[in-house]
Amino acid sequence: AGRFTEGRLVRWPTATTEDLHAIVWGSADAAWVVGDRGVLRRLDGSQAHVVPSGTEAALRDVVVVSPTELVVVGDAGTYLRVIGQRVTPVATGIDQTLFGAHARDGAVYAVGQGGLIVRVTGDRVVTERPPGSSTLRAVGGCPRGPRRR
């Protein structure tokens, strides 16, 4: 992984030779990376901390939900909730690859193969697949929506 330090890009050791797919900053001085064969690492300073993901599936994206919670998505419908260093799989009932995730207002939206869209709020999982949709590889948006009156 790479990061900017004092105006230059430097290599950040990750303690793996597996391909990495995503990085997210969890705080001003720490990040999380995910990759092939279930790789999940917390990076801070110049160290990589191995966090066992409990899966061999390729992990494709990671998103910060709150200061203490992350969500990781990946192959075969993998959806992991990470609180601190504890990783808990969430049963989504799907087996398609999830490529991207975005958190907003307490919900996590994940997208994947065949146009699959998954919304997870707490333990509630809602899926939809619009007709004729192609694979979705990324999802994003504003952290907060407009105020409703």
Side-chain angles (χ1 to χ4, degrees), residues 6-139:
E6 299 176 5
R8 62 188 178 92
L9 183 63
V10 296
R11 186 176 183 281
W12 202 345
T14 59
T16 185
T17 58
E18 298 295 336
D19 286 345
L20 300 176
H21 297 289
I23 185 169
V24 67
W25 291 93
S27 67
D29 59 353
W32 291 80
V33 294
V34 296
D36 285 348
R37 298 180 51 89
V39 166
L40 175 61
R41 303 287 187 268
R42 184 176 55 81
L43 309 176
D44 61 23
S46 61
Q47 292 187 318
H49 304 275
V50 174
V51 179
S53 66
T55 184
E56 285 291 312
L59 303 176
R60 304 288 178 176
D61 203 7
V62 55
V63 62
V64 174
V65 177
S66 75
T68 59
E69 183 179 353
L70 305 169
V71 165
V72 176
V73 298
D75 288 4
T78 300
Y79 187 107
L80 306 173
R81 184 173 285 137
V82 182
I83 298 175
Q85 301 262 3
R86 194 178 93 233
V87 179
T88 305
V90 174
T92 60
I94 60 170
D95 60 4
Q96 292 89 4
T97 294
L98 296 170
F99 289 107
H102 176 72
R104 179 177 174 164
D105 296 333
V108 174
Y109 300 85
V111 297
Q113 283 181 315
L116 179 65
I117 301 170
V118 179
R119 183 181 73 221
V120 180
T121 308
D123 292 328
R124 185 168 181 245
V125 178
V126 176
T127 62
E128 66 177 90
R129 188 184 314 270
S133 292
S134 58
T135 294
L136 300 171
R137 295 195 179 269
V139 60

